Amino acid sequence: MTDVLRRGRASLAFGFFAQGVTFALLVTRIPAIQDRYGISDVLLPVFLAAVPILAGVGSVTTEHLVKRVRPSRLLRWSQPVVLLALLGAGAGGHGQLAAVAVALGAFGLAVGALDASMNMLGVSLQRTYRRSIMLSFHAAYSLGGIVGASLAWAGAHWQLQLWVSYLPVVAVLLPATLVASRWYVDGDAVPVTADGERGGGVVFKLLLPLCLVMTFAYIGDSTVSNWSAKYLQDVLGSSEQLATVPYNVYMVTTLAGRTIGDFGVRRFGAAAVVRLGALVAAGGFAVVASASGAWVGMLGFTLLGLGLCVLVPQTFAAAGRLFPGASDAAVARLNIFNYVGFLVGSPLVGAVGDAWSYRGAMLVPMVLVLVTLVYARSFAAQPDRYGGGHERPRTADVGRGSNGL
């Protein structure tokens, strides 16, 4: 069983990595996609909003599908669809708005199923390991984002057509993810309570604080992914090539924070790590808003990566601990607020930027991230009736006899 878990953890981490590459290749080339299809500045927010809306539909659908189909199977087949949709988004010509709409629509629906099923498997594996490992999966996603952003930079530098940049990536990752999916590990059967009832439902009132944290975190994240390139180019006067770098910097520091984040959770507890992350992220937005040039802006995105990186993985983990008998449903519902954050964040920043200034627009996610401090207590360790351990300081983990996997 140890080998099974190790292979399951490694294969799932590769799935997170592949999705990081895919998503970075899409969001860092938004200006290029806009130019290729002739999408106006007025219409661009509509396209950007459609993707998270459809992803939310995909996540809701996944909550119902996992009652009949294992999350591992949904992940196995949704990931190739996402990759093919990425290739389709770069294959059309100028003025072919219908083509890019279909490609982005397929991307959105599939990525909703992918994100939900991927985090379901991560939460269930963490429960089996009985210690914090969720951040390591999201670290793999960040590493993929670095690779994807670097490939996007190369494509912009060499002025490659989008489909030329995307095709080799899809050709490598699609078969690789299918092979790796053979070793995915689904969660154990739903626990049985003392009175003989199976599982348990998700009480939305209890889940709501985590939903708000997820929304605020993704408003911050979407600000970086959707607007960092345009912000650096239009506000701070950078070149198109340099405009691809902020997302890369953001993903590098996100990787660093997530790599050590699990150790921080085991040592200090999830609530303390979430509070620190919120404060650092707010400082990053303040630096970006007041930046005098592109390189100062880079410093702000560096802080953003270090701060925001812990919020999303710990929110998924907290939902799994809060509803151990219905963790798949809790993760699927919580994942919807991932897309609510993207849906609100992208047009919100654009609207404030148009009405006031893009510097001022950066203060909006800063304030929302600070509100996370109010809900940090929702991440605090507390016992549950199914015996599934919450993240807690390392001394408590040792006391529980956690294994060394």
Side-chain angles (χ1 to χ4, degrees), residues 1-6 9 124-133 188 262-263 266 389 394-405:
M1 189 61 184
T2 297
D3 290 338
V4 170
L5 288 177
R6 286 175 175 167
R9 183 177 179 181
S124 64
L125 268 176
Q126 176 166 284
R127 184 166 56 244
T128 304
Y129 270 68
R130 302 177 72 86
R131 64 186 177 93
S132 179
I133 62 171
D188 296 331
D262 282 322
F263 299 102
R266 295 170 204 161
R394 182 173 53 194
T395 53
D397 281 338
V398 172
R400 290 177 65 88
S402 60
N403 60 44
L405 296 179

Side-chain angles (χ1 to χ4, degrees), residues 1-12 70-72 75-76 117-118 120-125 128-129 180-188:
M1 189 61 184
T2 297
D3 290 338
V4 170
L5 288 177
R6 286 175 175 167
R7 287 194 297 267
R9 183 177 179 181
S11 61
L12 182 59
R70 291 182 176 182
S72 61
L75 177 57
R76 176 178 300 144
S117 57
M118 194 161 55
M120 288 174 186
L121 293 182
V123 167
S124 64
L125 268 176
T128 304
Y129 270 68
S181 68
R182 296 173 55 194
W183 293 286
Y184 289 156
V185 176
D186 287 286
D188 296 331

Side-chain angles (χ1 to χ4, degrees), residues 75-389:
L75 177 57
R76 176 178 300 144
W77 296 112
S78 60
Q79 195 145 42
V81 175
V82 171
L83 287 164
L84 292 173
L86 173 71
L87 182 61
H94 190 81
Q96 296 180 347
L97 296 182
V100 70
V102 170
L104 292 178
F107 187 95
L109 286 170
V111 87
L114 186 152
D115 284 345
S117 57
M118 194 161 55
N119 283 289
M120 288 174 186
L121 293 182
V123 167
S124 64
L125 268 176
Q126 176 166 284
R127 184 166 56 244
T128 304
Y129 270 68
R130 302 177 72 86
R131 64 186 177 93
S132 179
I133 62 171
M134 196 67 180
L135 278 158
S136 67
F137 294 125
H138 287 260
Y141 176 91
S142 300
L143 179 60
I146 294 168
V147 173
S150 300
L151 292 172
W153 178 90
H157 177 73
W158 295 105
Q159 298 181 343
L160 300 177
Q161 295 187 47
L162 285 172
W163 73 269
V164 175
S165 298
Y166 292 164
L167 181 59
V169 176
V170 174
V172 171
L173 289 182
L174 197 154
T177 54
L178 284 174
V179 171
S181 68
R182 296 173 55 194
W183 293 286
Y184 289 156
V185 176
D186 287 286
D188 296 331
V190 176
V192 180
T193 64
D195 56 6
E197 294 182 358
R198 285 199 167 270
V202 176
V203 181
F204 185 72
K205 182 178 179 180
L206 298 178
L207 189 65
L208 181 59
L210 298 178
C211 294
L212 293 174
V213 173
M214 180 70 79
T215 301
F216 299 154
Y218 269 104
I219 287 175
D221 187 82
S222 69
T223 301
V224 179
S225 60
N226 288 329
W227 293 103
S228 62
K230 290 181 73 66
Y231 186 85
L232 221 71
Q233 198 169 342
D234 297 346
V235 178
L236 301 182
S238 75
S239 64
E240 179 185 355
Q241 182 176 327
L242 186 61
T244 65
V245 176
Y247 187 78
N248 207 345
V249 171
Y250 172 75
M251 295 307 293
V252 168
T253 52
T254 296
L255 171 62
R258 287 173 173 172
T259 300
I260 64 174
D262 282 322
F263 299 102
V265 171
R266 295 170 204 161
R267 179 66 180 86
F268 302 106
V273 170
V274 167
R275 288 190 183 99
L276 179 60
L279 290 172
V280 173
F285 277 117
V287 172
V288 170
S290 61
S292 57
W295 293 106
V296 179
M298 296 291 184
L299 173 61
F301 289 114
T302 299
L303 293 173
L304 281 172
L306 289 173
L308 291 176
C309 69
V310 299
L311 300 183
V312 172
Q314 283 308 304
T315 306
F316 278 122
R321 296 192 303 269
L322 189 61
F323 300 102
S327 62
D328 286 351
V331 168
R333 295 185 194 181
L334 183 61
N335 190 56
I336 296 170
F337 291 85
N338 161 351
Y339 310 119
V340 171
F342 265 99
L343 180 62
V344 172
S346 181
L348 178 63
V349 170
V352 175
D354 290 338
W356 181 21
S357 73
Y358 281 96
R359 289 184 183 274
M362 294 296 155
L363 300 178
V364 176
M366 181 192 77
V367 172
L368 293 176
V369 168
L370 284 174
V371 176
T372 296
L373 296 173
V374 177
Y375 302 108
R377 62 180 179 272
S378 298
F379 296 82
Q382 49 186 293
D384 63 59
R385 59 178 177 156
Y386 297 108

